[in-house]
Amino acid sequence: MTSCGARGGREMVTALEAGIAERGLDWRVEKAHCMGRCNFGPTMRLLPNGAHIMAVQESDPTGVLD
């Protein structure tokens, strides 16, 4: 099974952090080694109590921020 990191997870995090900074949002990104959803990855989750958002790509985080 291919890990989220190998499927674009690192690039997704970089894009999310850039989008947060550009918008001046008081949000933080907490990176997790594994969320147990590798077969659907990359995966992200909005906290608290947000659903897992799976198969996220580098261009997708901006939709979460808007």
Side-chain angles (χ1 to χ4, degrees), residues 32-64:
H33 174 69
C34 182
M35 297 177 79
R37 306 254 193 297
C38 294
N39 52 325
F40 300 110
T43 301
M44 65 185 284
R45 184 172 181 207
L46 303 178
L47 298 175
N49 304 321
H52 286 89
I53 303 169
M54 294 172 240
V56 181
Q57 297 304 308
E58 184 176 353
S59 60
D60 295 335
T62 54
V64 173

Side-chain angles (χ1 to χ4, degrees), residues 3-42:
S3 72
C4 291
R7 295 172 73 182
R10 291 178 185 91
E11 293 82 3
M12 181 265 299
V13 167
T14 300
L16 182 61
E17 290 173 332
I20 289 168
E22 288 170 6
R23 289 164 178 78
L25 299 172
D26 187 22
W27 293 10
R28 69 183 165 103
V29 174
E30 190 173 301
K31 299 171 197 137
H33 174 69
C34 182
M35 297 177 79
R37 306 254 193 297
C38 294
N39 52 325
F40 300 110

